[in-house]
Amino acid sequence: MDEYSHFVDWDKMDVSAQGQDTKELTCTDFHELKQLARQGYWAKNHSLRAKVYHKLISNIPCRTVTPDANVYRDIVVKIIGKRSSSSLPLPEFVDNSLIPTYCLNAEGIGAVRKIILCIANQFPDISFCPALPSVIALLLHYSKDEAECFEQVCRILACNDPSKRLIDQTFLAFESSCMTFGDLVNKYCQAAHKLMVAVSEDVLEVYSDWQRWLFGELPLAYIARVFDVFLVEGYKVLYRVALALLKFFHKVRAGQPMESDSIQQDIRAFVRDIAKSVSPERLLEKAFAIRLFSRKEIQLLQMANEKALQQKGITVKQKSCLLMFQQNVHLAVHAENFKSEIVSVKEMRDIWSWIPERFALCQPLLLFTTLEHGCSLSRFYSHSEGHEPTLLLIKTTAKEVCGAYLSTDWSERRRGGNKLSFFGTGECFVFRLQPEVERYEWVIIKHPELASTGSETENHAQPASSTLSSSSVPSDPSDRLSPFLAARHFNLPSKTASMFMAGSSECIIVGGGDGQALYLDADLNHGRTSHCNTFNNQPLCSESFQISILEVWGFRD
């Protein structure tokens, strides 16, 4: 075997990884390298993969003082001494019960613990890094010795490129990534998300396993292919693959009874045995078929989730903080504290499972109801303004129930003066609860002519088309942002914002995904909808309807 086989038990290794093809990698162009990584160019040659890993990791921009192989040789004797590494306690920032061995031999398994202990010595600022043991174990398969593996892992941890996120090293970063993953599942895996809500009391706890699926449960042949692409493309790849795993889990297990009492355990078992149903190539193909948000948008969402956790005081993994966090999630819609004339506690909890994770930490707060405040649009605005986001609930005289999650403060409407003003972000959505449950994604106002037949309003509404003109977006595709988060929250150019809500003194319009749009008159007694049959979805509610009750809910910390 080659010089990179010192820690490998070849009896456990996939035979396809033992290819002797001596091809080399000379490519330096990023786009070409990305394609080669996705195609598995170096996946079937053990020595080539080791050399590619070394090259890619050596090119990671790092802090000026980053521990290298010589540091490891100096400190390992002092830290480990003559003791067996298996007898030494691991640092608290890793999960002691989950240290993958993959295809390592006995010496390699011991080396994982030694390297973890030495990294803890050199990186005292790491407070939570459950992926670290897996990364070390993986790289040991492709390292000449422990010192080389240590240096490569240190370079990954010491990356100082603000645009290149690699491994979470704090509880805040980890937990916000779990919330971000939950948001992505909510958008891109709605069928799987619906199953999670149905069978789990704590959906976020299920999604908090997402890194474990990758760095713990996936077999070596799979995580190595993921790591190939991860080193080239970065953190976003991990979200893609985790979403693909969840999609495959739902597809394979749909309609089947749970194999255990825990959906978490079922997903873990499915990922461990994924070779029975999905090949590595098919997994990556599925992952890259998902039209995911841009890297910048995901970074913004991660920032928003981190900010929400910081505001809750949840920055470290402490039992008191975790308990408070779990209580906020579980009890946000509590039977004793919640009363609506439109929806039940269960229905409100279903809605809560759809909203962005950072707001699912909050409790619902009734701001406005026609039963108490009357049917006045001005009162609607006065009670709703100053709250962001809000939830609109409507019950019709025909007992239909629909609503909308509105991401932006209604005071934004004033920017248009007396004209109908469009605003909002792509986190908005409309939904129906009765007679059947349906959520309509990617809200956008496609029928602004509903508001008025007057030319003035139509002209003002013109920018709210379903696609932005070529002149309204940056020319560089890497700089393009779809209107997912509010531009004003992150100092983004106004051109990146789009139109999902509209309000004036005479009407309200909420755009709906898949061609849905909801229009309410000023007296809050009548409404109507528009519907496009492009995707054969059922309409939000009757084309024209009378409002029985309307409620607006805010989000209370």
Side-chain angles (χ1 to χ4, degrees), residues 207-222:
Y207 296 152
S208 293
D209 248 10
W210 79 278
Q211 288 195 27
R212 177 176 176 145
W213 303 341
L214 304 174
F215 296 111
E217 306 296 354
L218 268 182
L220 177 65
Y222 291 75

Side-chain angles (χ1 to χ4, degrees), residues 233-510:
E233 300 187 42
Y235 200 90
K236 183 178 175 181
V237 170
L238 305 182
Y239 283 132
R240 284 188 176 279
V241 176
L243 290 171
L245 287 171
L246 199 58
K247 282 178 175 285
F248 277 122
F249 172 80
H250 179 261
K251 180 180 180 181
V252 173
R253 297 291 178 83
Q256 298 181 13
M258 290 177 58
E259 295 184 356
S260 71
D261 295 333
S262 167
I263 190 68
Q264 278 182 290
Q265 295 300 328
D266 277 13
I267 297 176
R268 290 175 185 176
F270 171 80
V271 175
R272 280 196 299 271
D273 298 329
I274 193 171
K276 296 178 180 178
S277 51
V278 181
S279 67
E281 293 74 21
R282 183 73 185 97
L283 177 62
L284 289 179
E285 180 183 334
K286 186 76 168 179
F288 289 108
I290 300 171
R291 300 191 65 180
L292 203 59
F293 294 137
S294 72
R295 183 177 289 104
K296 289 184 179 180
E297 288 172 309
I298 292 176
Q299 288 174 346
L300 294 178
L301 184 55
Q302 183 91 13
M303 287 167 50
N305 285 330
E306 284 191 9
K307 183 177 180 181
L309 288 170
Q310 288 172 327
Q311 290 173 341
K312 293 286 183 182
I314 303 168
T315 58
V316 295
K317 188 180 182 183
Q318 296 177 343
K319 288 184 178 180
S320 59
C321 288
L322 285 174
L323 180 60
M324 181 181 70
F325 178 64
Q326 291 167 350
Q327 287 176 338
N328 278 325
V329 173
H330 296 285
L331 305 181
V333 186
H334 196 283
E336 295 178 0
N337 302 324
F338 175 77
K339 180 174 176 57
S340 168
E341 299 299 327
I342 299 178
V343 297
S344 66
V345 172
K346 181 186 180 305
E347 288 173 325
M348 197 62 155
R349 284 175 175 165
D350 287 342
I351 297 170
W352 234 243
S353 73
W354 297 336
I355 65 176
E357 293 286 359
R358 63 189 184 278
F359 296 117
L361 301 175
C362 303
Q363 298 179 12
L365 172 67
L366 184 61
L367 304 175
F368 174 86
T369 170
T370 51
L371 292 180
E372 179 180 345
H373 303 106
C375 299
S376 165
L377 188 54
S378 62
R379 290 198 200 102
F380 171 96
Y381 286 138
S382 66
H383 285 270
S384 302
E385 287 176 3
H387 295 270
E388 184 179 279
T390 54
L391 192 68
L392 175 68
L393 297 177
I394 297 171
K395 184 175 184 178
T396 72
T397 54
K399 301 193 182 303
E400 298 167 307
V401 175
C402 63
Y405 170 80
L406 305 170
S407 65
T408 305
D409 192 331
W410 278 106
S411 62
E412 287 289 299
R413 77 186 193 285
R414 295 202 185 97
R415 292 192 175 190
N418 293 325
K419 298 179 181 179
L420 189 66
S421 177
F422 295 93
F423 53 98
T425 77
E427 286 190 311
C428 296
F429 61 86
V430 292
F431 57 87
R432 183 187 67 213
L433 295 176
Q434 297 290 344
E436 295 177 358
V437 177
E438 182 78 44
R439 183 179 58 158
Y440 302 89
E441 270 297 341
W442 269 121
V443 175
I444 197 153
I445 295 175
K446 296 183 178 180
H447 299 277
E449 69 277 2
L450 273 172
S452 171
T453 57
S455 59
E456 179 182 77
T457 304
E458 287 181 0
N459 290 337
H460 186 78
Q462 187 62 36
S465 60
S466 59
T467 57
L468 297 175
S469 65
S470 58
S471 63
S472 65
V473 294
S475 57
D476 183 357
S478 65
D479 289 334
R480 284 180 193 158
L481 292 169
S482 63
F484 177 59
L485 294 170
R488 63 189 178 83
H489 288 172
F490 301 98
N491 297 318
L492 301 177
S494 59
K495 291 178 182 178
T496 65
S498 195
M499 321 302 180
F500 305 101
M501 304 161 57
S504 70
S505 60
E506 297 182 358
C507 69
I508 288 173
I509 301 180
V510 177

Side-chain angles (χ1 to χ4, degrees), residues 33-159:
L33 197 60
K34 182 170 74 171
Q35 289 304 314
L36 292 175
R38 292 187 181 190
Q39 293 166 7
Y41 180 84
W42 53 81
K44 292 187 178 181
N45 184 280
H46 190 265
S47 178
L48 178 60
R49 177 179 262 158
K51 293 175 182 177
V52 171
Y53 280 3
H54 185 272
K55 178 180 179 180
L56 293 175
I57 294 173
S58 296
N59 289 332
I60 294 175
C62 295
R63 299 195 290 254
T64 304
V65 181
T66 298
D68 59 14
N70 290 328
V71 170
Y72 181 81
R73 297 185 184 102
D74 289 340
I75 66 174
V76 66
V77 176
K78 300 175 184 177
I79 295 173
I80 307 299
K82 296 182 179 180
R83 296 169 293 179
S84 168
S85 60
S86 61
S87 66
L88 298 174
L90 290 177
E92 292 184 358
F93 63 70
V94 299
D95 186 348
N96 192 29
S97 65
L98 186 65
I99 301 180
T101 58
Y102 297 129
C103 300
L104 294 175
N105 55 27
E107 185 178 356
I109 294 171
V112 174
R113 298 179 69 91
K114 291 165 67 176
I115 294 171
I116 291 174
L117 290 166
C118 289
I119 285 175
N121 175 268
Q122 292 295 301
F123 289 84
D125 52 336
I126 295 179
S127 60
F128 195 71
C129 192
L132 183 61
S134 174
V135 173
I136 294 172
L138 172 61
L139 287 175
L140 268 175
H141 291 77
Y142 305 98
S143 300
K144 294 178 182 178
D145 54 33
E146 295 173 14
E148 181 180 85
C149 180
F150 170 85
E151 179 175 326
Q152 291 185 336
V153 176
C154 286
R155 291 194 65 84
I156 292 173
L157 293 171
C159 175

